[in-house]
Structures are given as structure tokens and as C-alpha cells.
Amino acid sequence: MVKNFYLSFMKLRWRFGIIAGLFLAVFSLYPQFKMIYLRGADWNGHYAYNDIDEVAYAAYVKALIDGRPRRNDPYTGSDHSAETPQPESLFSIQFAAPYTIALPARLLGIDAPWAMTIAGAFAAFFTALAVFWLIGMFTEDSLFALAGSLVVLAGGALFAGEGAIGEILNTSYAYPYFPGFRRYIPAMAFPAFFGMLALLWKIISAETRERRSLSLPVLAIAAFAYTVFSYFYVWTTAAAWLGCLGICWLIVRPEGWLKDIKALIVIGAGCVISLVPYFYLLSKRSHTMDDVQMLIKTRALDLTRPPELIGFVVIAVIIAAVAMKVLTLRDKATLFAISLAATPAILFNQQLITGQQLQPIHYQVFIGNYVAGLALVVTLGLMWSRSGGFRNGSAKIAVAALATVAIAWGFVECHYTVRILDDVNIIRDEALPVARRLAEIAKDDPAPHNSSVLHLAVAEADDFPTLAPQPVLWARHQHVFAGVTWQENKDRYYQQLYYNGVRPEQLAARIKQGGDIVSVIALWGWGRHTDRLNSEYKPLLFAEVDEEARQYDRYINNFDAKSSDVVKLSYMIAPSTQPEIFFANVDKWYERYDMEVFGKYVLYKLRFR
């Protein structure tokens, strides 16, 4: 078995797969190259993020590198212990991917910013290899596998109806940047997901004598388990596809279908076993996690998302190809392609059975789009292969041209989508020295997690836990961890506004004018600022805004910085150009001393008056 597996593995010209992987790694590193170019000699060494949510993942990686327990909250400094037990969070349950980054980083002495950068490049490279392997086994053509892997991964945003195409067609802004490369999810889960698909195809297409070994099923189960403890949307996609594959085999019954079904049952059982500890951890989750994830009850049909439409087109093409006898329905490769094409529709309509829907946009942008793109590529490759198209020189020229177009489109995505985050990445790098100073101070502090920081800037505060161990008063992603309840998060935001000198009428005016998305997220959650996240989106009413402003007014009128339920501050970071008048509320309670200036930022130590 091992020998046969090795021989079939080596049939592919892996230098083509390596080329695809290198291009994908370059795409992953493009934001970093762009920031270094823009900053020039002023670059402080920070990583460029690809998505604003990456700060929360990076903060968790930083905590693990520092040796903190799996259940930790880097924003509030809360760690699980016998004295202070912590519930499970989105991060502590999905621990496989961050530990994959943190353990080698800790061993090699790599800090979180560089760990995030390197991990993204490695994930992109190995994802390309996995997709190359699958397409190569399907078509037995390494050049097409090279082109196909580039199309699937460079075209991920396009297949979701997102990214650069929105700005090019003037229908929306160019966002997100290469969604599959968001670190560490889904990036770290992608090699395992596509590797699982390749392993399953190898198992069901193997010769009878190759089925006796359990090595491939064990690897497939391990890959699934890794996705389970890495990213919800990836493992549920893997499960949906596996179920779809089994249904296709049961209905059509290709040659050797019974042996295949037995293998699928064994793999399915192994996958179910891996879900047992997952659901145990899920049962211990924080109630705040449910509020953040916006689980809704619905049975509404959803059939118009781009990945579904691509899947429907692919199925129609397969039906036409079968009718024209280009493909055979009972061919395992045909059924495999059908299972991929049907998966997006299952993902977006599982609520017809379960009655529950959880932010379907994540299926559209982070995984369903890549499955749809893969279905399209393997179907076209299969048709071309079955018709003998790969055997002539003109076909090779066409495939090489396809690879060139995919590479060019990858750079188009980079150009349009990276610049959306240029300014904030520069700001984050400018703030790095002051964060490093606090990290240096923490080395002499036996309990740095007890020293909270008031960071007056939003983006920089969100990024701060990636760089220093001291918790922050409030940050945009603070509520996604389990360290605070939703009400505690609101109270912290009230304190942040108060120390910034924001009056209730100013808060209401900023929200009503539609420019204060940060306050909307902080006070009502991610589901009230956009209709992208759930189908039950309800825009904010002015009456709701006025009521929230009144609550804030009552809070600050009764505010006492020395109260037991108020966060005690040890440091403050502010813009160096901030007029003294803006510090009035801070100065009412605290004395600022030991001022240090770091470019555009000034660091103060604080003590009660």
C-alpha cells in the first residue's frame, strides 16, 4: 500500500505544485511587502493584517506563545485557573490552528507578528500543494493541476462575488483581500480540508489491493479532526461534502460502490468520534459566545449566493456532458465533481432541516466559494481529460495561458484589496514602539495582567494585546473572548467614551450620521451595523440610539473610577498631538506621570489622585 501510494504520488510533477505554492505564498505576503514599501526606513517591524479580525487571532496566538493557558482572554488579562475558572470561548475551542503557530514560534523565539506572517505564507503554500495534488490525480496532468490550483485559490474572492471585482464593476468596494488567507482561520485549516478531499479521492479511486491499509483513512480522519478544532465553517463544510459524497454513491452506485461505502462509513465514524470532545467543549462555552455569533432561527430558502450559482452551473454542465457522452454518470470522478458542486447549496440551506442559521456570509467568503471553484475546475479538467484534450500541444498552451491569467488576477486582487488596509496598517506600525515599551515594562512586573491600559485610539487598542501582555480597558474585538459579559463590555466602552471626553449628545449624533460603526458594534453587536451577517438584520432606529445615549448619560453621571466594578488604570496611551483639554475626565481621577513620547504617541503612567 505504502509503495503504491508513493508511486501514484510521484506520478505528478511536483515542481509545478511548488510553483503554484510559491505564487500563493507571495500573494499571502503581498500586504507585508506593501507595508514595508510604504513605510520604508520608518518600518518598525509590525505585520500587516489582511483582515481587521486578525487582531483577535493574533492576540490569542501571542497569549499562547507567552505560555498562558488555552482558556485565556488577552484583552482583559483573564486566565483559567482553579481560583478563576474561565468558560470556553470561540478561541479555546478552536485551538488546533493557533497552537500549530504558537508552539513552534515559542520554541524558536519568534514573536506573534512574525509568527502570523510566516504562518500565512506556509498555509497558502501547503494549501496550493493539496489542491494541486487533488486536481492532478483527477486529470493526471500536472500542468493543468498547476493552473487549476491557481484558479481555485486566486479566484476565491471572485467566486464569492467579493474582492476586486466589486470595485472594477463599480458595484462595491474592493474587500476582502484573499479571504482564504485570513490568519489563522481559515488559512491554517485549508491544507487539512483540501488534503482530506484528496485523501478521500485517493481512497475511493484506489485499486482493491491498496484498500487493505488504514493509513489513508486515518490521515483523512486526522485532517477532519484538525478542521474541527480549527474553524467551524470549514469542518461543517467537510461534513456536508462527505455526506453529499455518500449520497451520490448510494444513489448512482458506481462500480465497487459497496466497498467505497464501507470505507466512507469507517471514515465517517472516525469523524463523528472526533466531534465528541468538540461538542463537550462547546457545552462549556460562554453565553457571550452565543450573543456574538448571532445564531438565528429560520427555515428560509437561500439559493442565490454566488458559490451556489457556480455549483448549479457545474451540475448543468455535467448533465449536458453526460447526455453528450463526454462523461459517464457512473464514473467515480463524475460523482466526485457532482458532490463538490452540490455542497454550497447544502451549506446555505441546511436551515431547512435544522431550523438554525449562523452567519452564512462566512460560508460564502471563507469556504463555500473555494469548494465551488474547485468543482468548476475539476469538472472542466475531467471533461478535457476524457476527451483527450491534454494530449495535444495547443491544449498545453491554453492551460499555460489559464495559469498566467490566474496569476495576473491574483495580483489584481492584491492591488485593489490590499490598499483598503494600507492606512490602518501604517497606523499600527507607527504605534508599535509604544507597545514594545509596555512589553519591556512588563518584564519587571510580576503581575502585568493586573495593569490595565487606556488606549485612546481604536485600531491601535485592538492591536495592542498582540504586542504587550497588559490588558486594555476596551477594544473593538474584546467581546469575542469569554473574559467579559456583554454588559461588562458595554460598561467598558462607556468608560472608554467617558475618558475620551465624549458627551451623550455627541455619541447619538455620530451614530445617527452613520459614521460611527465602532459604537454600533460596541453597543449593539456586529449584527446591527450591516445586513451581511444574518438574514434578520434590522437597521438601528433613532429611538434606540437616543435610549442608548440616555443610558450612557446615566452611567457617566454616576461614574466613580474607584468603584469596585470599574476597571482600574495603570497606563494611558494617547496621540502626542492631543490637546490637554481632552484629558479632563482622566485628570479628574488620575495623576499622569513619567511621560514618554514615541513618535505620534505618548505613554503616561497613571495613579489615583
Side-chain angles (χ1 to χ4, degrees):
M1 168 62 179
V2 174
K3 180 180 179 181
N4 290 329
F5 173 70
Y6 174 78
L7 291 175
S8 63
F9 188 80
M10 294 307 295
K11 283 182 181 179
L12 294 174
R13 289 181 284 178
W14 280 94
R15 62 181 179 275
F16 288 135
I18 292 172
I19 291 171
L22 290 175
F23 271 109
L24 269 298
V26 168
F27 294 150
S28 174
L29 292 170
Y30 186 94
Q32 193 68 39
F33 296 146
K34 181 75 174 293
M35 183 171 72
I36 294 173
Y37 168 76
L38 293 175
R39 293 286 288 149
D42 295 327
W43 180 51
N44 290 312
H46 209 353
Y47 82 101
Y49 65 37
N50 306 332
D51 184 285
I52 62 171
D53 289 340
E54 283 190 352
V55 291
Y57 304 125
Y60 187 67
V61 168
K62 159 73 172 172
L64 296 181
I65 292 175
D66 289 346
R68 295 173 64 180
R70 179 178 59 85
R71 278 182 277 177
N72 73 74
D73 183 344
Y75 284 94
T76 65
S78 303
D79 286 344
H80 175 75
S81 67
E83 296 76 23
T84 58
Q86 298 290 316
E88 298 288 348
S89 70
L90 185 71
F91 298 83
S92 63
I93 295 173
Q94 299 178 155
F95 61 84
Y99 269 107
T100 304
I101 301 172
L103 291 179
R106 188 178 183 186
L107 180 65
L108 298 173
I110 299 173
D111 61 8
W114 273 109
M116 292 290 286
T117 302
I118 296 169
F122 271 88
F125 179 82
F126 286 109
T127 298
L129 287 187
V131 177
F132 170 84
W133 182 31
L134 175 58
I135 298 175
M137 286 191 293
F138 249 78
T139 62
E140 297 183 347
D141 188 277
S142 296
L143 182 59
F144 184 82
L146 161 66
S149 59
L150 289 168
V151 168
V152 171
L153 298 175
L158 182 63
F159 297 138
E162 306 272 337
I165 193 66
E167 185 171 337
I168 292 172
L169 299 180
N170 200 30
T171 57
S172 64
Y173 61 96
Y175 190 82
Y177 160 85
F178 280 87
F181 294 167
R182 187 181 71 170
R183 300 160 297 190
Y184 47 78
I185 55 175
M188 296 301 293
F190 264 34
F193 174 80
F194 289 107
M196 176 190 169
L197 266 59
L199 288 165
L200 260 294
W201 171 247
K202 182 63 183 173
I203 290 168
I204 60 180
S205 64
E207 298 293 335
T208 302
R209 64 179 178 275
E210 293 183 293
R211 296 173 183 267
R212 295 172 185 172
S213 173
L214 290 176
S215 58
L216 293 183
V218 168
L219 286 174
I221 293 168
F224 178 82
Y226 185 85
T227 66
V228 167
F229 293 100
S230 291
Y231 193 34
F232 171 82
Y233 293 95
V234 171
W235 82 254
T236 50
T237 299
W241 168 76
L242 191 58
C244 189
L245 185 72
I247 291 172
C248 287
W249 251 247
L250 287 172
I251 292 176
V252 180
R253 299 185 179 185
E255 183 179 353
W257 69 276
L258 189 57
K259 293 180 180 179
D260 293 339
I261 288 295
K262 290 179 180 178
L264 291 177
I265 289 174
V266 170
I267 293 170
C271 293
V272 169
I273 291 173
S274 71
L275 288 173
V276 173
Y278 174 82
F279 282 112
Y280 172 77
L281 294 179
L282 197 63
S283 70
K284 303 295 183 181
R285 69 189 183 278
S286 164
H287 293 297
T288 305
M289 182 174 163
D290 292 344
D291 296 332
V292 171
Q293 293 307 303
M294 294 172 288
L295 181 68
I296 64 172
K297 297 185 181 299
T298 181
R299 295 189 185 274
L301 198 63
D302 187 350
L303 295 172
T304 59
R305 295 179 184 269
E308 291 178 283
L309 299 179
I310 293 171
F312 296 150
V313 169
V314 169
I315 291 173
V317 168
I318 291 175
I319 292 172
V322 170
M324 297 170 62
K325 297 185 178 180
V326 175
L327 297 179
T328 303
L329 183 60
R330 296 193 69 197
D331 187 342
K332 292 182 180 181
T334 303
L335 294 177
F336 197 91
I338 291 173
S339 70
L340 290 172
T343 296
I346 295 174
L347 296 177
F348 293 112
N349 292 281
Q350 54 76 36
Q351 67 273 10
L352 297 177
I353 298 174
T354 65
Q356 296 181 327
Q357 187 182 63
L358 184 64
Q359 298 186 42
I361 187 65
H362 288 75
Y363 283 123
Q364 178 177 328
V365 174
F366 292 121
I367 184 62
N369 48 327
Y370 292 96
V371 173
L374 180 61
L376 176 63
V377 167
V378 298
T379 297
L380 295 179
L382 187 61
M383 292 171 60
W384 207 343
S385 176
R386 293 294 189 267
S387 60
F390 290 136
R391 288 195 291 268
N392 59 69
S394 58
K396 294 185 181 299
I397 294 174
V399 172
L402 178 63
T404 303
V405 170
I407 292 169
W409 181 255
F411 283 110
V412 169
E413 288 283 359
C414 288
H415 171 72
Y416 280 97
T417 57
V418 168
R419 62 185 182 180
I420 299 292
L421 298 174
D422 280 347
D423 290 342
V424 70
N425 278 326
I426 290 173
I427 290 171
R428 292 170 54 245
D429 186 62
E430 289 174 337
L432 183 59
V434 67
R436 280 177 173 163
R437 173 57 181 147
L438 278 166
E440 185 179 299
I441 292 173
K443 293 178 182 178
D444 299 323
D445 186 346
H449 300 159
N450 296 330
S451 303
S452 294
V453 179
L454 169 61
H455 206 315
L456 296 180
V458 174
E460 297 92 313
D462 217 15
D463 193 48
F464 183 83
T466 304
L467 309 169
Q470 294 93 339
V472 291
L473 169 62
W474 180 85
R476 182 167 45 191
H477 283 85
Q478 188 176 67
H479 64 283
V480 300
F481 285 92
V484 295
T485 65
W486 181 251
Q487 185 57 50
E488 288 171 337
N489 179 73
K490 286 183 65 173
D491 289 346
R492 282 172 172 258
Y493 187 60
Y494 284 161
Q495 294 172 44
Q496 180 86 8
L497 293 173
Y498 170 74
Y499 288 129
N500 268 284
V502 177
R503 299 189 303 274
E505 61 271 20
Q506 290 176 315
L507 175 63
R510 291 187 334 196
I511 296 173
K512 289 178 180 179
Q513 291 166 6
D516 193 359
I517 295 176
V518 172
S519 290
V520 173
I521 294 172
L523 299 173
W524 287 277
W526 291 82
R528 297 302 299 276
H529 84 290
T530 177
D531 60 357
R532 283 170 57 86
L533 298 180
N534 66 69
S535 58
E536 295 186 351
Y537 165 73
K538 296 178 181 178
L540 279 176
L541 302 176
F542 280 4
E544 293 179 272
V545 176
D546 291 335
E547 175 56 30
E548 192 65 44
R550 285 191 290 270
Q551 290 186 31
Y552 171 55
D553 185 46
R554 287 192 292 270
Y555 183 88
I556 61 176
N557 284 334
N558 297 301
F559 181 75
D560 182 353
K562 297 183 179 181
S563 175
S564 61
D565 59 348
V566 173
V567 178
K568 308 303 183 291
L569 304 175
S570 301
Y571 306 95
M572 180 176 72
I573 301 173
S576 56
T577 56
Q578 191 90 314
E580 285 290 315
I581 191 173
F582 284 95
F583 299 138
N585 288 339
V586 175
D587 292 344
K588 179 180 178 180
W589 302 99
Y590 292 95
E591 177 187 351
R592 291 177 281 144
Y593 67 102
D594 285 357
M595 181 184 77
E596 297 181 69
V597 178
F598 299 88
K600 296 182 178 181
Y601 301 88
V602 58
L603 171 65
Y604 298 97
K605 291 182 179 179
L606 301 178
R607 59 191 172 204
F608 277 121
R609 290 188 179 278

